C-alpha cells in the first residue's frame, strides 16, 4: 500500500546541482533538460502498457501453480477442465512445450495451464484440474543446499544459458550439490597478509530476497504464424531473450520474435529476460490452440513466479595496518538462485568479485562465490545484480574496519581509493575516468552544509553515514563483443526516424536518443521519432536495454549515425544551394547560409538513411559517494532517513533533469532495500506476497531533504563523455543508510532491511526483561 | 431472487426489509474497501449486494449540544472534511493516517465497525470517545457501546450468513438481520480538563497498523491528577482492545511521566499481542511506547503539566 506524499510538507526539498568540468557541448540538444517524449501520455494515463493491450480472437490463460515447494507430479488430470464451457485447451505441465519435466521446484511452479475465451473461465477451470504430487524433501537454505547430502533440485544440471558463460571448475570440496554457478579468484597472498596485518576484522552480512514490484504486472500475448513464434511483452534484453526462449522451447532462435507493447513497463531487471512459468506457458497454449494466448500474472504471482533479487550471505575478512591501509580482503558469498536459473548467477558472482577492485587498492585478495539452487522462488536480475548486495556488505564492513582502526570512515576510504590512471589490483588495466574523489569532496561539502545546524532532541538518536559504490557501464565485458547499431532516416519534411535497440522502460532512453539526433543534425528534438527496430531488421545489437548501456552504447550508435546524417545532409544542401558545406549551418530544423534561411523540408528531395554503430571496447566504471543522516526513534526503532546527498559521477549529463530523476529513483530503491522490503518465506511459501503485507517505499519514506550532485568526469569512450547511471547509482544508497543507523544506535544491522523491529532490538545498551525474539 | 443482484435501496427501512427476508443471502456493501478485495480474490461470493452508500439518512453527520451522530455510511473523507468533528481531535488524527486517499474517500465508519478487523484505527478511538453504536433491524433498534460489539464476541458467535465465510478476522456481535445505522459520540463537557490523542506505528506509510494507541483523559480541577482515563488499542490482539488495567492504574495518579510509565508497564496484563508482520514481543514494546506518549500528550492537551 502506498500513500500520497504529504504535499504540505514544506520542509521536503530535492535539489540537484551540477558543476561541469569542461565546456559543455552546445545547448542544441544534449546537456539540456529536454522534456521527456513520453511524459504526456504517462501523466494523462493514455499510455498503453502490456496489460492494457488486447488483440482480436485472443484466448486468456490461467496457470495452476504449485503450493508445495518440491515434488514430482505423478498424475495431472485436465479432462474436466477441458470439458468446461469456454475452455479451448488445458495442458498438464508435461504437455507444455520445451524443457518442462515432471518436477515441481518452488511454490508457484507450473502444474498445468488452461486457455479459455475469458479470464474468469480460465481461472474457474483450474479448479477442475486434479493432480497428484509425490513430495520430496525440500531445501531452502542455500548454504545447506550446496553441501553433500542436500536434496537435489535439478537431477540433470540444466543447461539454461548459465553454464555457457564460462567454464565452471569447483575447487571447494564442500560445495557439492545444487551448484548454479561458482567463481574463485585470488591474487597476492591473503593468508600471509592477514597474519601480518595490524587488525583483522571479520564479519558476516546477509541481504534479503526482494521483489521488483513493478506497477504493471507481467502480461504477454503469444501467437504463432506457421513455425514463427511471436511474443508481445516487455523485455529489455530482447536478443538474449529470443535465444533463451528458442532454447527453452526447442526451436530456432530465429523462430522467436519478441516485440514490446506500445508503452513498455518498468523493468529494473524484472523485465530483462523470460521467466519459465510465463512466456513458454503462453507459447505452448497458443501453439496448441492455434490462437493468440494472453497470460497475465495476478499480483501475488509476481512474488512467486516473477523474479527476486538473489538473497546472499557474505563473509568478509579484512586486514589493515594501524594507519588505515587495506592489506588484504577475503570474501566468500553464497547466493540463493531459487528453483530455476536465470543466467545471472554468473553476474551476481562476478560483480561480487570484481567491483571492490574498481574502487580500492587491495594488494592481497581472495574471493569465492557460489550460487545455489534451492526450493525458494526464483531469483534473477534486479537493478545492480550482485553489486547492490556486495556493496552493502563491503561498505558496511569498511565502516566497521574504519571504526576499529579509529579512523574517520571517509578518510579511511580516501586513503585506499584507486586513482584515475592507476592499475586495478587484479591486473585488469587502469581506471580510466573516476570522479570518485570529486563525488566524495562535493558530496561531503553539501552534506555538511545541510546537516550543519541540526540539533536533535533528547528522545531521538541521530546518525550519519557515508558509502561509496561503483559499477561498470554496459555488459562489463568491455572486450568489443558488445555492439549496437542504429538507423536514422530523415524524411523530406525534415523529420527523423531513429531505429534503435533501445526499449523505453521509463528510464528516458527515447528522449536521450532524440536529443542526440537533434544535437548532431540540428533539428528540434520533437522532430525526432524514436522506434525500436524489429528483430528481423538487419541491424545488430547484443543486449538491448540492460546494464546501463542504453545511453552509453545505443546512444553511441545513434551519435555515430547522427554525424553521418549531418554530413550527408549538409552535402545535399550545399549542392542544392550551390555553396560550400562549410557555409551551411543547420539549427532547429532551419538551414542558414550567408545568403539565405530556409527550412530543411524546402531543400530535401529524397530521404536520407544512414546506419551508425558503436562497440564497447571499454566498460567504464561509474562512481558515487552517498551520504545519509537518519533519525531513530528509541521507543519504537523506527528509522527516518532525514537527509541524503547522492553525489554521482555520470561522465556527462545528456539530460540533467533525467539524471536527477535516476538518482532520486535510486535513492527510493535504496531506502526500500535498506529499511523496508523483504519477501519472507516459511518453508518456501512466501508469507507476504501481496502489496498489503509486503512493504514498499513510497515518497513518504524518501529523505526529507535530498540533494543530487551531478559530477561529470567526461568519459573518453562514451557519447559526449556520458557513462552508465541507472545501475551504479543504487549500490551506495543502502550502506550509507546502514552506516548512519550504526552511528545512531551503536550497533550494526547486518541483515537488511533495518525494520523498526530489528533496529529496536539491536539498539546498544538495551536492557530487556524479556528475551530478544529470534529473527530468522 | 435472481442469481445475482446489486441494489441501491432508498431508505434504511428498505434495507431492513430486504435483510428480514433474505438475510442469509444478501451482503451489505458500504464503501467496499474491506469487502471488494475479498470478492476479487475469490474469498467471498457476492451474489446479492445491498449498497447503502447512497442512502441519505446514513450519509449524514449531525451535531447537537449533546452529541455528534455520524451515519454509518459516512466516509472517512467526509468526517475529515466536516468541521463538525473538530471537537474530537483524536478522531481526525486517526482518520488522517488511515490507508491512502482512495481508502479514505470510499471507506466508511460503519463498514469498519462491522468488519471489526483488529488493526482498524477507528475502533479504539470510538471506544475512548465513549461512542454508542445504533443497530437496527425490522424488530427495532438497539444501542450498544463500541467495545461491546467485540468484547463478548468469540469465534463461536453466530455471525450473519454470507459474512461468516470470510470475516473471521474478528468476530462481531451483529446479527445477519441487522444494520449499523449510526455512531453517536457524546459531546465532551468542555470544562477544559479533557485531553485526547491517537497515534500509531506502521511498517511503511499506508501499511497495516502494527500498534495503535488512543487516549482520552479527564484531569482534576487542579489539573495535576488524572480523574479518569480511557486507553484504546489497535492491532494488538484478536479484536479491537481496551486496557482496563492501565486505565485503573492511571485513575487518581499525579500527572507525572513516572506515574504514566508505571501504569503503562501493566499493559501486558490487558493484551495478548498477535504475531502478524512483527513478533508479539515487539508489538507489546511499541504499544507501551505509544501508550506512554499518547497518555502524556492527552494530559498536556488537557492542560496538565507533566513533571
Ligand atoms: C488499502 C487499504 C488500506 C487500509 N488501511 C487502513 C488503515 O491504515 N487503518 C484502518 O483503520 N483501516 C484501514 N483499512 C481498512 C478500512 O478502514 C476499511 O476497509 C473500511 O473502513 C471498511 O469500510 P467500507 O465502507 O469500505 O466497508 P465494506 O467493505 O463495504 O464492508 C465491510 C463489511 O461490513 C459490512 N457492513 C458494511 N456496512 C455495514 C453496516 N452499516 N451495517 C452492517 N454491516 C455493514 C459489509 O457487509 C462487510 O461485511 C484499509 C483498507 C484498505 C483496502
Amino acid at each position: 500500500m502506498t500513500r500520497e506524499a504529504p504535499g504540505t510538507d514544506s520542509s521536503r526539498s530535492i535539489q540537484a546541482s551540477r558543476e561541469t568540468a569542461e565546456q559543455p557541448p552546445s545547448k542544441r540538444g544534449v546537456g539540456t533538460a529536454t522534456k521527456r517524449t513520453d511524459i504526456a501520455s504517462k501523466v494523462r494515463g493514455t499510455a498503453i502498457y502490456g496489460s492494457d493491450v488486447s488483440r482480436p480472437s485472443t484466448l486468456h490463460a490461467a496457470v495452476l501453480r504449485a503450493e508445495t515447494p518440491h515434488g514430482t507430479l505423478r498424475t495431472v488430470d485436465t479432462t474436466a477442465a477441458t470439458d468446461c464451457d469456454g475452455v479451448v485447451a488445458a495442458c498438464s505441465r508435461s504437455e507444455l512445450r520445451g524443457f518442462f519435466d515432471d518436477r515441481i521446484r518452488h511454490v508457484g511452479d507450473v502444474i498445468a495451464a488452461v486457455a479459455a475465451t475469458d479470464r474468469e473461465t480460465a481461472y474457474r477451470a483450474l479448479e477442475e484440474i486434479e493432480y497428484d504430487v509425490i513430495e520430496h524433501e525440500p531445501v531452502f537454505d542455500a548454504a545447506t543446499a550446496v553441501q553433500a547430502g542436500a536434496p537435489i533440485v535439478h537431477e540433470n544440471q540444466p543447461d539454461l544459458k548459465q553454464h555457457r558463460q564460462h567454464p565452471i571448475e569447483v575447487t571447494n570440496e564442500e560445495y557439492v550439490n545444487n551448484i548454479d554457478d561458482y567463481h574463485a579468484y585470488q591474487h597476492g597472498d591473503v593468508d600471509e597478509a592477514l597474519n601480518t596485518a595490524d587488525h583483522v576484522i571479520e564479519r558476516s552480512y546477509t541481504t534479503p530476497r526482494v521483489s521488483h514490484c513493478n506497477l504493471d504486472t507481467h502480461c504477454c500475448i503469444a501467437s504463432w504464424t506457421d513455425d514463427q513464434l511471436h511474443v508481445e511483452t516487455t523485455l529489455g534484453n530482447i536478443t538474449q531473450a529470443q535465444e533463451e526462449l528458442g532454447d527453452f522451447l526447442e526451436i530456432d532462435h530465429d523462430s522467436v520474435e519478441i516485440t514490446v507493447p506500445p508503452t513498455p513497463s518498468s523493468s529494473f531487471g524484472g523485465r530483462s529476460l523470460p521467466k519459465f512459468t510465463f512466456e513458454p506457458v503462453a507459447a505452448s497454449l497458443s501453439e496448441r490452440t492455434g490462437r493468440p494466448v494472453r497470460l497475465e500474472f495476478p499480483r501475488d504471482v509476481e512474488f512467486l513466479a516473477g523474479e527476486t533479487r538473489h538473497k546472499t550471505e557474505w563473509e568478509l575478512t579484512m586486514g589493515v595496518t594501524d594507519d588505515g591501509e587495506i592489506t588484504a580482503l577475503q570474501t566468500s558469498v553464497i547466493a540463493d538462485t531459487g528453483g530455476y536459473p536465470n543466467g545471472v548467477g554468473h553476474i551476481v558472482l562476478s560483480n561480487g568479485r570484481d567491483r571492490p577492485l574498481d574502487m580500492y587498492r587491495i594488494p592481497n585478495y581472495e574471493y569465492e562465490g557460489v550460487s545455489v539452487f534451492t526450493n525458494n522462488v526464483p531469483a534473477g536480475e534486479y537493478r545492480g545484480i550482485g553489486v547492490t548486495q556486495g556493496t552493502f556488505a563491503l561498505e558496511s564492513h569498511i565502516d566497521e574496519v574504519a571504526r576499529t582502526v579509529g579512523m574517520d570512515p571517509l578518510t579511511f576510504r580516501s586513503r585506499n581509493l584507486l586513482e584515475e590512471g592507476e592499475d586495478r589490483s587484479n591486473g585488469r588495466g587502469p581506471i580510466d575516468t573516476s570522479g570518485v574523489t570529486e563525488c566524495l569532496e562535493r558530496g561531503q561539502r553539501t552534506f555538511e552544509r545541510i546537516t550543519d545546524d541540526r540539533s536533535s532532541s533528547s528522545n531521538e538518536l541521530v546518525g550519519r553515514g557515508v558509502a561509496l559504490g561503483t559499477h561498470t557501464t554496459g555488459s562489463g565485458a568491455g572486450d568489443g563483443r558488445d555492439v549496437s547499431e542504429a538507423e536514422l532516416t530523415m524524411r523530406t519534411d525534415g523529420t527523423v526516424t531513429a531505429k534503435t535497440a533501445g526499449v523505453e522502460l521509463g528510464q528516458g532512453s527515447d528522449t536521450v536518443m532524440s536529443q542526440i539526433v537533434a544535437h548532431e543534425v540540428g533539428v528540434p528534438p520533437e522532430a525526432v521519432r524514436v522506434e525500436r527496430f524489429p528483430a528481423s531488421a538487419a541491424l545488430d545489437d547484443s543486449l538491448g536495454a540492460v546494464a546501463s548501456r542504453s545511453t552509453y552504447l545505443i546512444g553511441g550508435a545513434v551519435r555515430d549515425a547522427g554525424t553521418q546524417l549531418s554530413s550527408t545532409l549538409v552535402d545535399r544542401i550545399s549542392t542544392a544551394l550551390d555553396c560550400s558545406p562549410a557555409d551551411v549551418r543547420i539549427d532547429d530544423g532551419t538551414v542558414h547560409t550567408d545568403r539565405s534561411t530556409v527550412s530543411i523540408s524546402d531543400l530535401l528531395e529524397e530521404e536520407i538513411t544512414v546506419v551508425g554503430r558503436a562497440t564497447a571496447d571499454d566498460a567504464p566504471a561509474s562512481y558515487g559517494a552517498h551520504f545519509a543522516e537518519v533519525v531513530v526513534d528509541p521507543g519504537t526503532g523506527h528509522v527516518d532517513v532525514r537527509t541524503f546527498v547522492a553525489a554521482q559521477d555520470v561522465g556527462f549529463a545528456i539530460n540533467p533533469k533525467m539524471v536527477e530523476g535516476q538518482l532520486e529513483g535510486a535513492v527510493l530503491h535504496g531506502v526500500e532495500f535498506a529499511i523496508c522490503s523483504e519477501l519472507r518465506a516459511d518453508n518456501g511459501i512466501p508469507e507476504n506476497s501481496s502489496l498489503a503485507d509486503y512493504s514498499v517505499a513510497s515518497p513518504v519514506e524518501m529523505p526529507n531533504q535530498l540533494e543530487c550532485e551531478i559530477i561529470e568526469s567526461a568519459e573518453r569512450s562514451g557519447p559526449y563523455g556520458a557513462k552508465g547511471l541507472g545501475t551504479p547509482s543504487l549500490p551506495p544508497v543502502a550502506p550509507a543508510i546502514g552506516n548512519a543507523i550504526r552511528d545512531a544506535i551503536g550497533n550494526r544491522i547486518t541483515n537488511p532491511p533495518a525494520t523498526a523491529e530489528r533496529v529496536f532490538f539491536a539498539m546498544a545498551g538495551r536492557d530487556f526483561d524479556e528475551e530478544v525474539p529470534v529473527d530468522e | 431472487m435472481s442469481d445475482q443482484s446489486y441494489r441501491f435501496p432508498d431508505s434504511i427501512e428498505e434495507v431492513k426489509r430486504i435483510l428480514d427476508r433474505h438475510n442469509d443471502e444478501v451482503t451489505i456493501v458500504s464503501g467496499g474497501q474491506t469487502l471488494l478485495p475479498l470478492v476479487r480474490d475469490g474469498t467471498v461470493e457476492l451474489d446479492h449486494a445491498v449498497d447503502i452508500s447512497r442512502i441519505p439518512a446514513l450519509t449524514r453527520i449531525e451535531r447537537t449540544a449533546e452529541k455528534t451522530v455520524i451515519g454509518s455510511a459516512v466516509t472517512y473523507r467526509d468526517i475529515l472534511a466536516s468541521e463538525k468533528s473538530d471537537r474530537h481531535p483524536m478522531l481526525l488524527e486517526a482518520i488522517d493516517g488511515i490507508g491512502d486517499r482512495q481508502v479514505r474517500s470510499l471507506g466508511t465508519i460503519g463498514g469498519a465497525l462491522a468488519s471489526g478487523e483488529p488493526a482498524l484505527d477507528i475502533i479504539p478511538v470510538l471506544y475512548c470517545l465513549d461512542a454508542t453504536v445504533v443497530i437496527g433491524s425490522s424488530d427495532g433498534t438497539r444501542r450498544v457501546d463500541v467495545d461491546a460489539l467485540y468484547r463478548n464476541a468469540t469465534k463461536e458467535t453466530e455471525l450473519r450468513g454470507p459474512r461468516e465465510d470470510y470475516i473471521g478476522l474478528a468476530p462481531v456481535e451483529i446479527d445477519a438481520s441487522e444494520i449499523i445505522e449510526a455512531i453517536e459520540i457524546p459531546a465532551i463537557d468542555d470544562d477544559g480538563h479533557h485531553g485526547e490523542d491517537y497515534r500509531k506505528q506502521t511498517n511503511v506509510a499506508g501499511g497495516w497498523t502494527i500498534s495503535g494507541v488512543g487516549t482520552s483523559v479527564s484531569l482534576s480541577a487542579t489539573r495535576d491528577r488524572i480523574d479518569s482515563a480511557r486507553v484504546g488499542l489497535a492491532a494488538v490482539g484478536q479484536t479491537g482492545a481496551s486496557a482496563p488495567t492501565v486505565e485503573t492504574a492511571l485513575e487518581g495518579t499525579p500527572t507525572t511521566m513516572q506515574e504514566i510509565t508505571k501504569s503503562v508497564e501493566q499493559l501486558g496484563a490487558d493484551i495478548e499481542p498477535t504475531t502478524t508482520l512483527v513478533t508479539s514481543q515487539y508489538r507489546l514494546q511499541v504499544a507501551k511506547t505509544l501508550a506512554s506518549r499518547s497518555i502524556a500528550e492527552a494530559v498536556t492537551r488537557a492542560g496538565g503539566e507533566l513533571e
Side-chain angles (χ1 to χ4, degrees), chain A residues 242-489:
Chain A
Q242 288 174 168
E243 290 174 11
E244 282 195 10
L245 272 181
D247 288 352
F248 189 86
L249 297 169
E250 296 171 323
I251 55 178
D252 280 354
H253 297 169
D254 290 346
S255 303
V256 185
E257 187 192 31
I258 293 167
T259 56
V260 295
T263 306
S265 317
S266 66
S267 174
F268 301 110
R271 302 294 166 82
S272 289
L273 291 169
K275 279 127 210 131
F276 291 108
T277 67
F278 184 49
E279 298 92 341
V281 174
S284 297
L285 288 171
S286 171
E287 184 181 35
R288 167 120 2 170
T289 58
R291 286 169 67 174
V293 170
R294 178 184 192 275
L295 174 57
E296 183 178 356
F297 279 0
R299 179 57 70 180
D300 61 330
V301 174
E302 289 286 316
F303 293 92
L304 305 177
E307 277 159 5
T308 54
R309 176 177 280 140
H310 290 72
K311 181 177 175 171
T312 54
E313 293 173 41
W314 301 78
E315 270 177 39
L316 268 61
T317 308
M318 187 173 268
V320 285
T321 62
D322 274 333
D323 54 357
E325 191 182 313
I326 300 174
T327 55
L329 175 64
Q330 192 173 45
T331 298
S332 113
V333 58
I334 300 178
D336 183 346
T337 298
Y340 292 100
N342 191 262
V344 293
H346 165 64
I347 303 178
V348 172
L349 302 182
S350 55
N351 276 333
R353 177 192 64 201
D354 296 340
R355 301 294 73 87
L357 305 175
D358 292 339
M359 183 69 84
Y360 298 110
R361 213 174 291 122
I362 306 174
N364 301 287
Y365 183 62
E366 193 176 294
Y367 174 86
E368 180 178 58
V370 65
S371 56
V372 184
F373 295 122
T374 63
N375 294 111
N376 290 310
V377 297
E381 290 194 22
Y382 195 162
R383 192 174 189 175
I385 311 164
V387 67
T388 297
Q389 298 99 308
T391 305
F392 179 82
L394 180 66
E395 290 295 309
S396 300
H397 198 63
I398 285 197
D399 202 63
E400 281 306 308
V401 171
R403 283 170 184 278
T404 309
V405 182
M407 263 172 100
D408 166 60
L410 224 146
T411 316
F412 179 88
R413 287 181 171 87
S414 299
R415 186 159 182 3
N416 291 286
L417 279 182
L418 276 182
E419 284 167 22
E420 240 170 60
E422 187 175 343
D423 276 340
R424 292 167 170 88
S425 320
N426 57 3
R428 283 216 185 162
I431 293 294
D432 187 0
T433 50
S434 157
V436 68
T437 310
E438 204 187 337
C439 289
L440 263 176
E441 286 170 5
R442 258 178 57 197
Q444 191 189 13
R445 230 184 303 140
T446 303
F447 188 62
E448 281 177 354
R449 176 171 53 76
I450 60 181
T451 52
D452 201 26
D453 53 348
R454 290 282 161 72
S455 56
S456 60
S457 78
S458 60
N459 45 26
E460 58 184 28
L461 301 168
V462 178
R464 292 175 190 168
V466 59
L468 303 183
T470 179
H471 193 60
T472 46
T473 304
S475 68
D479 54 5
R481 267 189 301 166
D482 193 4
V483 295
S484 195
E485 289 182 339
E487 181 188 281
L488 298 183
T489 301

Side-chain angles (χ1 to χ4, degrees), chain A residues 642-654:
Chain A
R642 182 159 70 181
T643 311
F644 202 93
V645 175
Q648 194 74 29
D649 166 25
V650 304
F652 174 75
I654 291 179

Side-chain angles (χ1 to χ4, degrees), chain A residues 1, chain B residues 27-35 52 72 76 97-99 103 107-108 110-112 114-115 119-121 160 163 166-167 179-180 200 207:
Chain A
M1 279 177 286
Chain B
T27 306
I28 295 178
V29 180
S30 192
Q33 294 304 290
T34 294
L35 198 55
I52 60 170
S72 67
Y76 291 128
I98 288 176
V103 173
T108 68
S115 59
L120 291 170
D121 295 301
R160 59 195 299 172
R163 277 205 291 166
Y166 63 91
I167 284 293
I179 172 174
I180 298 179
K200 69 169 171 179

Side-chain angles (χ1 to χ4, degrees), chain A residues 2 4 633 635-636 701 756-757, chain B residues 100 104 205 208 279 282 289 293:
Chain A
T2 57
E4 68 271 24
D633 180 341
T636 62
E701 277 73 33
E757 176 166 20
Chain B
D100 46 38
R104 293 194 297 275
W208 295 119
T279 60
Y282 177 65
T289 296
R293 290 176 185 173

Side-chain angles (χ1 to χ4, degrees), chain B residues 3-275:
Chain B
D3 281 359
Q4 287 189 317
S5 62
Y6 197 103
R7 288 193 252 188
F8 288 99
D10 294 323
S11 66
I12 305 180
E13 282 59 45
E14 200 184 330
V15 178
K16 289 179 188 169
R17 267 199 305 275
I18 300 170
L19 291 175
D20 189 36
R21 256 178 284 148
H22 308 287
N23 69 48
D24 51 349
E25 291 167 43
V26 301
T27 306
I28 295 178
V29 180
S30 192
Q33 294 304 290
T34 294
L35 198 55
L36 296 190
L38 297 168
V39 172
R40 213 169 36 214
D41 76 12
T43 316
V44 175
E45 290 205 3
L46 180 64
D47 290 331
H48 300 286
V50 177
D51 191 317
I52 60 170
S53 65
R54 297 181 189 172
I55 298 176
L58 294 180
T59 51
R60 268 203 298 266
I61 301 179
E62 277 166 45
R63 185 194 203 188
T64 62
E66 293 81 40
K67 60 190 177 190
T68 303
V69 182
I70 305 175
S72 67
V74 172
T75 62
Y76 291 128
R77 181 193 55 191
D78 288 345
I79 298 175
L80 275 183
S82 154
E83 282 183 73
K84 291 167 190 155
S85 46
D86 65 359
R87 17 166 119 167
H88 306 298
M90 70 187 298
L91 186 63
L92 301 189
E93 276 164 352
I95 293 178
D96 201 35
I98 288 176
D100 46 38
R101 184 173 290 180
Q102 179 187 334
V103 173
R104 293 194 297 275
S105 297
L106 293 168
T108 68
I109 188 163
L113 286 174
S115 59
E117 289 167 57
L120 291 170
D121 295 301
I122 201 81
I123 294 173
V125 169
L126 293 175
Y127 162 75
C128 288
L129 296 176
D130 203 13
T132 303
V133 185
V134 183
I135 300 171
S137 70
S138 57
D139 291 342
T141 308
R142 62 182 178 111
R143 300 177 125 72
V144 293
D145 292 344
V146 170
D147 53 332
L149 281 182
Y150 316 105
R151 194 193 304 137
N152 300 319
T154 61
K155 291 277 178 205
E156 288 73 47
T157 307
E158 205 175 307
L159 295 168
R160 59 195 299 172
R163 277 205 291 166
E164 79 189 303
D165 299 338
Y166 63 91
I167 284 293
L169 296 163
V172 185
E173 272 193 273
I174 306 173
D175 190 73
S177 61
E178 293 180 315
I179 172 174
I180 298 179
E181 294 182 24
I183 290 85
E184 297 179 352
I185 308 175
I188 283 145
D189 282 342
D190 201 6
D191 58 359
H193 298 157
H194 167 85
E196 55 186 61
D197 171 82
Y198 184 76
R199 56 190 62 215
K200 69 169 171 179
Q201 160 124 344
T202 57
N203 274 346
V204 280
W208 295 119
T209 299
I210 294 300
S211 193
V213 182
T215 313
S216 67
V217 294
S218 221
L219 301 188
S220 63
T222 47
R223 295 205 176 94
D224 55 0
R225 244 163 229 292
I226 298 173
D227 271 356
S228 66
R230 281 205 164 196
V231 178
L233 302 154
V236 292
Q238 297 296 339
T239 57
S242 54
T245 316
V246 178
E247 289 170 0
T248 312
L250 285 169
E251 255 166 53
T253 59
T255 56
T256 63
M257 208 53 228
Q258 196 188 352
E259 287 298 330
I260 292 174
T261 315
K262 213 168 89 189
S263 307
V264 165
E265 270 312 309
Q266 305 182 39
L267 190 61
D270 289 326
I271 58 176
E272 279 180 51
T274 50
T275 54

Side-chain angles (χ1 to χ4, degrees), chain A residues 1-4 633 635-638 676 680 692-693 695-698 700-701 756-757 760-761 768-771 773, chain B residues 96-97 99-101 104 201-208 265 277-279 281-282 284-286 288-290 293:
Chain A
M1 279 177 286
T2 57
R3 183 173 157 194
E4 68 271 24
D633 180 341
T636 62
H638 177 263
C676 298
R680 287 176 281 107
D693 298 328
S695 299
V696 287
S698 72
V700 178
E701 277 73 33
E757 176 166 20
F760 184 81
F761 287 115
F768 285 105
D769 44 2
E770 284 177 71
E771 247 175 68
Chain B
D96 201 35
D100 46 38
R101 184 173 290 180
R104 293 194 297 275
Q201 160 124 344
T202 57
N203 274 346
V204 280
W208 295 119
E265 270 312 309
L277 299 177
V278 295
T279 60
Q281 293 97 315
Y282 177 65
L284 177 63
Q285 295 292 343
V286 173
K288 284 182 179 174
T289 296
L290 297 185
R293 290 176 185 173

